[in-house]
Each structure stands twice: as structure tokens, then as C-alpha cells.
Amino acid sequence: MDTKGGRFSLTMSGTTYSGRGAAKLMLSGVSPTTGVNQDGTPYRTVAPKLVGLDLSFDRGVGLLWDETMLLNSIDVTFVETDLNKTHLFTSASWDGDPTIDSATGEVTGLKVMTGSLNYQTY
């Protein structure tokens, strides 16, 4: 049976935080691009890229934004609770700019990016 996730927890450098909304996992380390040659034949190229995690937080989770953003690397454990699947983003870095919605307190605009991704399944 194909099951879908929903709930998750996130641990960064030993502290566990709750996510606000749905997280988006970017798990492919390659990015294909297609195009067409002058004679009409197609071509495809593949470029390496980082894997990552795009998620949102509640403003009240306690992250010190400037201090957290300046860390050289963070280790992130992302657990898809409903699927019993753990993604380990090791030696990761923040990417993006945090933006806070003053009406809801939701912080968006951040990704955790790394070249090293490992999995564990319970």
C-alpha cells in the first residue's frame, strides 16, 4: 500500500523543532535539462546539484536567526513520523532568507541544503 506522510519532526544540532507546514524534500542530486539542436534533434544534459529540505517554522520555535544562519554547517535529522523514515542531512547549510508572516507567525523562505544525504527506516 502506498502511504503518504504528513507529520514530521526536525532536529538541528541536537535541538528538536516543530515544523509549521508541509515540508518539501529535494532528494535528487542531479538536475536534467533538455533542449533542441539546430537540426531539430533533442539533447539532454545532467548537472550535479545539492539535495535539500524546504520547510517552514513557527516564529516561536526559538531559532536565533543570525546566529543560526552563520553556522558553518548543521546536521539535520528530518523524521517523517507517519512513514517511519528518517532523512539525515549532514554538514548542511541554510539557503535563502527567512520571511515572517506577521498574521500567522509562519516563517518561510528557508532551505537546508547539503551534498550528503543518508536514510534510515524504522
Side-chain angles (χ1 to χ4, degrees), residues 55-57 59 63-66 68-69 94-101 106-111:
L55 67 163
S56 62
F57 294 97
R59 149 184 11 218
L63 284 176
L64 302 173
W65 297 110
D66 288 342
T68 302
M69 303 295 275
W94 287 108
D95 181 26
D97 295 311
T99 303
I100 299 174
D101 181 325
E106 184 177 23
V107 180
T108 58
L110 289 174
K111 297 178 184 175

Side-chain angles (χ1 to χ4, degrees), residues 31-36 42-45:
S31 178
T33 303
T34 60
V36 63
Y43 70 86
R44 186 178 106 169
T45 61

Side-chain angles (χ1 to χ4, degrees), residues 20-56:
R20 179 65 176 257
K24 298 173 187 165
L25 293 155
M26 298 164 284
L27 302 178
S28 177
V30 296
S31 178
T33 303
T34 60
V36 63
N37 294 312
Q38 288 297 323
D39 64 0
T41 59
Y43 70 86
R44 186 178 106 169
T45 61
V46 179
K49 68 176 188 122
L50 297 174
V51 296
L53 177 63
D54 183 353
L55 67 163
S56 62

Side-chain angles (χ1 to χ4, degrees), residues 11-13 50-51 71-77 88-94 112-118:
T11 303
M12 288 184 293
S13 302
L50 297 174
V51 296
L71 293 175
N72 287 334
S73 66
I74 54 175
D75 292 325
V76 176
T77 302
L88 304 172
F89 297 86
T90 56
S91 298
S93 297
W94 287 108
V112 173
M113 304 300 289
T114 186
S116 178
L117 176 65
N118 297 297

Side-chain angles (χ1 to χ4, degrees), residues 9 77-81 83-88 120-122:
S9 66
T77 302
F78 178 79
V79 179
E80 292 181 272
T81 308
L83 298 179
N84 291 325
K85 190 162 196 170
T86 300
H87 307 271
L88 304 172
Q120 293 177 352
T121 303
Y122 300 115

